Amino acid sequence: MSVVTNTTTIGAIDAPSRRNTELVLLAFAVAIPVFAYLNVGLALNGEVPSGMLGYGLGLGLMAGVAHIVVRKFARYADPLLLPLATLLNGLGLVLIWRLDQSPRLNARADFAPQATNQLMYSALGIALFVGVLMILKDHRVLQRFTYISMAAALILLILPIVPGLGADVFGAKIWIRVGGFSIQPGEFAKIVIAVFFSGYLMVKRDALALASRRFMGLYLPRGRDLGPILTIWAMSLLILVFENDLGTSLLFFGMFVIMLYVATERTSWIVMGLLMSAGGAVVVASFAGHVQARVNAWIDPFVCKETSVACDQMTQVLMTFGSGGVLGTGLGQGNSDLIGFAANSDFIFATVGEELGLTGVMAFLLLYGLIIERGIRTALAARDPFGKLFAIGLSGAFALQVFVVAGGVMGLIPLTGMTMPFLAAGGSSVIANWALIGILIRISDTARRPAPAPAPSPDAEMTQVVRP
Amino acid sequence: MNKPLRRIAIFCGLLVLALMIRDNWIQYVRADELNTHKFNRRVQIERYAYERGNIIVDGKPITGSVETKGSDFKYKRTYTNGPMWAPVTGFASQAFDANQIEKLEDGILTGNDDRLFFDRTLAMFTGEKKKGGDVVTTLNGKAQAAAFKGLGDNKGAVAAIDPQTGKILALASTPSYNPSVFAGNSIKDSENRQKLLNDKDKPMVNRALRETYPPGSTFKVVTAAAALENGVVEDIDAPTDTPEPYMIPLSRTPMKNSHGGCEKASLNAAMEVSCNSVFANLGDKVSRDKMVEMAQKFGFNNAEIDTPVRASSSVYNKTMDRGGNALSSIGQFDTAATPLQMAMVTAAIANDGKLMKPYMIDQLRAPNLDVIQTFEPEEMSQPVSQENAQLLQRMMENVVEKGTGKNAQINDVTVGGKTGTAQHGVGNSKRPYAWFISYAKTDNGSPVAVAVVVEDSNGTARDDISGGGLAAPIARDVMKAVLDSKE
């Protein structure tokens, strides 16, 4: 007689998948933007907007598809990430549609309605999200592409300064034009470079952490281990100098320092990172005119309002926030279009400030905060170092981006030209961020999935054979 | 790797917290400041988003609102008889802010004043369209028209006050401007305004309130008041000790008189023919400090005469020497007064010595015509006793009856007045200012006191310029208009 018993399983209950929680949250994440859409229509035209049904169905359909795919391919994934992203994306569409109807913006030569395009980009983003979940069955596969990723990221970052391909949009060279479409390669580079950092640091973390000398309480790495960090530092400075893009360079460097710290558990890296970014910032600020202008606009925009466009823009943004007050004017009833240039992209958060008020901005910040913390939670739960590093890299980059953009428009730090994830008009940003959410969901699924029952070991089998 | 992860989690939480604190700072702590910031166009948009309330004279609006298309601003300000009323209303322009009453009572006119909160809330429920409240002025349409017409093409100003209450009845300034021409937001509006700003005649200056002139001989009534109040003159018909020629103190220059018979002339006689020597002598005897005291009681050296539109401060120099004081006593040297100031002097004398605070807003009304606030007459000071005021009245009435002010006579009405011809420019090279101050008296006290200044007189020979010839007829017409409207 041969009895096969599984003696390794302790809890017989299957871990909850939380997919139903996600579905309920998704229903809210679709309903809230639909109400917001209705609100805008009633405020602007006094009638139920004709596109409401189409908008609601579209958003609902996209959320539904995403949900089904998650249910099928990432059953144990974090239940909050998808609803949060859907809600932000939906509200972003409403805000863009609201600004599309501003006569003041439509009178501008540099303005074109964006809502339809943005809906299309959102659909593309969800498609990429679906693609990530369906194709990438295990995130650890990406480990194989560590050095390819590095090359890819460099190429993506260099593209905008390639003559003929790059487009200079009001000073910042972060765009490329391919057949009528503008693409911001930096948004995608963010993810690709996280792959490289994770793969590289996973391999080198011991060398970086242990082979160091102690000096004044800090562990100083060996000279040859400093190479990569110096390279990244130089690269982010080059982006700043050649592409006039303060935001992206800050983002990459910050992301690298965070991942380095997590990988090595050495505080000295943080100190070195801070010193290097401070040094870089001082050098660049004293040489690059556009950075100086931004800094002046940050210190007191009302003083230099007459002489500098950056300052004038900043005063408009601050007054837009201030005019919202605690409760806001209500969707469709503010004058955030006075900001003019980039009102629906870089400065879209100001529209939230004016029309939804302090309350609305706080709610949005909480939504972003939740995404960030769920991402870090995923990193904590991940079982493999690559997954941990990858998740913290993406979440950290997301957090830095939210901080840099929201802090910039609210005057907390100097303004940098970056987009608010999911809210701002712009295809690259929304598509790349959906991919980012897709990867986090994939890692969280792997992390939360109950450990597979170990294959019955032949040896174990043997020991249980009782010979009469 | 979990320990640093937890720290990063806290760090990211702090980033979000910093954003939240910053947001509270700009959207709560600084919200009011940013919301009403002078660069915030929303203030203008809000100001013209609804039909603006009106400024009312004699129960009729002198302003209006028209709906406009194709700009940020829904309504545009219009003015009835703009140039005539501009010194009262000021302007309200979509592109160039507002001034005077339009600015000071903006809250009422736009309907955003806190006192209109209840009306706004009520209107929200009844579905009524939001509208601004009205500002009811104290002005008298007929008097204003008489003043504006009288000034005609001359540069000058008229201020008329009801001496018993301080209500401003007329406030005219020429050349004037029509605030309608730049009420909008177009390039044309901008050009029109620029043209007005570049005009060398300065049409946008409110001469009645905001321009000071040497008051010349009209200031002699202040000197006379000081002489009486300080006991320098006890009997206005008694001869004074003024020699002819009278030498200006601390100098070897004799004080010129345009008229004979000033030697040892009595106060009354000196007033009648406007003797410079007598008043310079009296001013010197009163002493500088006492002269300053008297002038200040009448409102000189006061930078806060708010009607509510603030009038410029009239000046009587507090630190000059004896010679300066003697010249100042006949309204020359540093002495300068706004037309409103001289109207206040006249009003105080006409009101038996009591100076009422001048004001031009009678009531603020809600859109539904409920009165929100009524302004009451307020006593400002008592520069002269009733007795002395009546002596001053006797002298001023004598001036109109027999002296230099005959042009101001009105049939069957007692009128008191004083002419003035003030010199200015280096070596008196410029054309003098013609002044006239006067009041009319009925059985119920005096209903009107008026001050007229005519700056420059085109085509009039220099010698002919005198307050009696140019300014007195205007004053007469204004007083008549007020008297007629009382009947």
Side-chain angles (χ1 to χ4, degrees), chain B residues 416-479:
Chain B
K418 180 72 194 81
T419 55
T421 306
Q423 297 165 333
H424 75 129
V426 179
N428 298 334
S429 53
K430 295 189 180 169
R431 288 173 190 281
Y433 297 118
W435 275 93
F436 195 73
I437 58 173
S438 69
Y439 62 86
K441 213 157 72 174
T442 64
D443 298 339
N444 307 322
S446 166
V448 56
V450 58
V452 178
V453 61
V454 180
E455 237 182 81
D456 194 8
S457 309
N458 301 326
T460 315
R462 190 182 172 87
D463 295 342
D464 287 352
I465 302 173
S466 76
L470 279 168
I474 304 174
R476 182 194 59 210
D477 291 348
V478 172
M479 290 189 294

Side-chain angles (χ1 to χ4, degrees), chain A residues 237-259:
Chain A
L237 282 189
L238 288 180
I239 294 172
L240 185 52
V241 171
F242 287 105
E243 300 184 7
N244 283 358
D245 190 6
L246 191 67
T248 310
S249 65
L250 206 88
L251 184 68
F252 287 136
F253 194 64
M255 176 162 108
F256 184 66
V257 171
I258 287 177
M259 292 174 76

Side-chain angles (χ1 to χ4, degrees), chain A residues 104 205 261 265 302 305 318-321 323 325-326 335 353-354 358 361-362 366 373 385 388 407 410-411, chain B residues 1-2 4-5 7 9 13 19-20 22-24 26-28 31 34-35 37 39-42 45 72:
Chain A
R104 218 172 277 147
R205 54 192 284 241
Y261 171 59
E265 307 197 14
F302 288 103
K305 182 185 187 307
L318 282 180
M319 290 188 296
T320 302
F321 272 104
S323 303
V326 173
N335 288 300
E354 179 168 9
L358 175 66
V361 172
M362 297 291 267
L366 282 176
E373 298 300 338
K388 274 185 189 299
M410 295 197 288
Chain B
M1 284 198 270
N2 282 354
L5 278 178
R7 286 194 181 149
L19 291 175
M20 289 179 158
R22 174 67 187 181
D23 191 37
N24 276 277
I26 58 173
Q27 291 208 271
Y28 182 76
L34 290 167
N35 195 10
H37 200 280
F39 292 133
N40 198 337
R41 201 170 158 82
R42 289 168 189 80
I45 293 174
D72 282 352

Side-chain angles (χ1 to χ4, degrees), chain A residues 276-350:
Chain A
M276 287 173 82
S277 28
V282 168
V283 170
V284 171
S286 46
F287 287 113
H290 67 283
V291 177
Q292 276 171 353
R294 292 280 170 86
V295 171
N296 288 338
W298 168 61
I299 293 170
D300 190 352
F302 288 103
V303 170
C304 50
K305 182 185 187 307
E306 306 294 332
T307 51
S308 147
V309 181
C311 295
D312 185 51
Q313 226 168 25
M314 206 53 222
T315 61
Q316 289 297 343
V317 173
L318 282 180
M319 290 188 296
T320 302
F321 272 104
S323 303
V326 173
L327 291 174
T329 58
L331 280 171
Q333 294 174 59
N335 288 300
S336 58
D337 43 8
L338 285 171
I339 296 169
F341 175 65
N344 66 358
S345 54
D346 290 16
F347 299 122
I348 196 160
F349 209 48

Side-chain angles (χ1 to χ4, degrees), chain A residues 86-101:
Chain A
T86 310
L87 180 57
L88 286 173
N89 196 165
L91 288 172
L93 283 167
V94 171
L95 291 173
I96 291 164
W97 180 67
R98 177 260 173 277
L99 289 173
D100 277 356
Q101 296 173 75

Side-chain angles (χ1 to χ4, degrees), chain B residues 208-405:
Chain B
L209 293 181
R210 313 271 323 150
E211 190 78 277
T212 58
Y213 302 93
S217 305
T218 55
F219 191 79
K220 287 171 186 165
V221 298
V222 177
T223 310
L228 289 169
E229 282 288 302
N230 291 294
V232 174
V233 173
E234 309 220 316
D235 178 359
I236 59 169
D237 293 314
T240 56
D241 60 354
T242 315
E244 183 69 34
Y246 170 76
M247 304 303 275
I248 298 168
L250 309 178
S251 84
R252 289 154 194 257
T253 319
M255 180 71 91
K256 272 191 264 177
N257 283 318
S258 57
H259 201 279
C262 287
E263 189 172 9
K264 294 196 177 4
S266 70
L267 187 57
N268 194 5
M271 188 75 88
E272 185 181 319
V273 295
S274 201
C275 290
N276 290 339
S277 55
V278 175
F279 285 93
N281 182 25
L282 290 176
D284 187 42
K285 282 191 173 153
V286 169
S287 85
R288 182 192 71 201
D289 291 344
K290 293 284 180 194
M291 281 298 294
V292 169
E293 197 187 311
M294 179 53 66
Q296 290 188 354
K297 277 189 191 163
F298 275 111
F300 279 81
N301 297 340
N302 182 347
E304 288 179 14
I305 297 178
D306 297 337
T307 70
V309 179
R310 180 161 288 187
S312 293
S313 173
S314 300
V315 183
Y316 194 85
N317 190 327
K318 287 192 254 189
T319 53
M320 59 197 163
D321 62 16
R322 266 181 69 198
N325 182 49
L327 282 168
S328 292
S329 300
I330 60 163
Q332 297 286 347
F333 199 63
D334 282 347
T335 311
T338 59
L340 178 76
Q341 175 59 62
M342 291 318 292
M344 284 161 68
V345 169
T346 318
I349 294 167
N351 193 33
D352 289 347
K354 205 183 280 176
L355 176 60
M356 303 302 288
K357 184 176 178 292
Y359 68 103
M360 60 172 152
I361 295 182
D362 192 25
Q363 284 181 343
L364 301 177
R365 281 198 320 217
N368 61 5
L369 305 186
D370 282 350
V371 174
I372 303 168
Q373 191 180 355
T374 302
F375 294 88
E376 301 292 343
E378 223 178 287
E379 191 182 324
M380 206 167 142
S381 65
Q382 171 109 29
V384 284
S385 67
Q386 186 179 357
E387 221 171 282
N388 286 337
Q390 279 161 0
L391 288 177
L392 288 165
Q393 285 174 20
R394 224 182 86 200
M395 291 189 283
M396 288 173 75
E397 282 153 24
N398 187 46
V399 168
V400 173
E401 202 183 319
K402 298 184 197 147
T404 50

Side-chain angles (χ1 to χ4, degrees), chain B residues 56-333:
Chain B
I56 311 269
V57 171
D58 295 337
K60 287 187 291 271
I62 53 170
T63 56
S65 277
V66 285
E67 206 167 324
T68 53
K69 291 245 182 305
S71 93
D72 282 352
F73 309 111
K74 195 160 174 209
Y75 287 95
K76 189 169 105 167
R77 196 51 145 176
T78 59
Y79 294 88
T80 315
N81 220 337
M84 182 170 107
W85 289 113
V88 176
T89 58
F91 62 81
S93 162
Q94 293 173 346
F96 305 105
D97 202 15
N99 75 355
Q100 303 203 66
I101 290 184
E102 292 273 31
K103 175 82 170 176
L104 293 167
E105 295 301 342
D106 196 43
I108 295 292
L109 291 167
T110 54
N112 289 336
D113 193 277
D114 286 344
R115 288 170 286 181
L116 292 172
F117 177 76
F118 184 69
D119 292 80
R120 280 201 299 274
T121 319
L122 201 68
M124 211 155 75
F125 287 112
T126 57
E128 243 176 88
K129 235 172 46 173
K130 186 179 162 190
K131 192 181 177 298
D134 292 333
V135 174
V136 182
T137 67
T138 60
L139 280 108
N140 179 318
K142 286 203 179 102
Q144 179 79 3
F148 189 66
K149 194 166 152 250
L151 289 169
D153 294 334
N154 292 320
K155 265 200 253 179
V158 175
I161 305 180
D162 178 345
Q164 297 171 51
T165 57
K167 288 182 176 180
I168 293 177
L169 301 172
L171 206 61
S173 168
T174 53
S176 190
Y177 69 101
N178 188 350
S180 299
V181 302
F182 61 94
N185 190 31
S186 67
I187 295 170
K188 181 89 184 128
D189 289 289
S190 183
E191 285 170 359
N192 286 339
R193 174 166 171 274
Q194 202 52 48
K195 214 186 293 167
L196 289 170
L197 289 176
N198 291 344
D199 192 328
K200 63 174 172 39
D201 287 339
K202 298 197 181 121
M204 283 174 72
V205 172
N206 185 348
R207 294 175 169 78
L209 293 181
R210 313 271 323 150
E211 190 78 277
T212 58
Y213 302 93
S217 305
T218 55
F219 191 79
K220 287 171 186 165
V221 298
V222 177
T223 310
L228 289 169
E229 282 288 302
N230 291 294
V232 174
V233 173
E234 309 220 316
D235 178 359
I236 59 169
D237 293 314
T240 56
D241 60 354
T242 315
E244 183 69 34
Y246 170 76
M247 304 303 275
I248 298 168
L250 309 178
S251 84
R252 289 154 194 257
T253 319
M255 180 71 91
K256 272 191 264 177
N257 283 318
S258 57
H259 201 279
C262 287
E263 189 172 9
K264 294 196 177 4
S266 70
L267 187 57
N268 194 5
M271 188 75 88
E272 185 181 319
V273 295
S274 201
C275 290
N276 290 339
S277 55
V278 175
F279 285 93
N281 182 25
L282 290 176
D284 187 42
K285 282 191 173 153
V286 169
S287 85
R288 182 192 71 201
D289 291 344
K290 293 284 180 194
M291 281 298 294
V292 169
E293 197 187 311
M294 179 53 66
Q296 290 188 354
K297 277 189 191 163
F298 275 111
F300 279 81
N301 297 340
N302 182 347
E304 288 179 14
I305 297 178
D306 297 337
T307 70
V309 179
R310 180 161 288 187
S312 293
S313 173
S314 300
V315 183
Y316 194 85
N317 190 327
K318 287 192 254 189
T319 53
M320 59 197 163
D321 62 16
R322 266 181 69 198
N325 182 49
L327 282 168
S328 292
S329 300
I330 60 163
Q332 297 286 347
F333 199 63

Side-chain angles (χ1 to χ4, degrees), chain A residues 139-140 378-388 443 445-452:
Chain A
H139 60 268
R140 277 167 294 194
T378 300
L380 273 169
R383 294 171 188 149
D384 61 302
F386 179 78
K388 274 185 189 299
I443 300 175
D445 171 54
T446 320
R448 298 180 73 245
R449 182 175 304 184

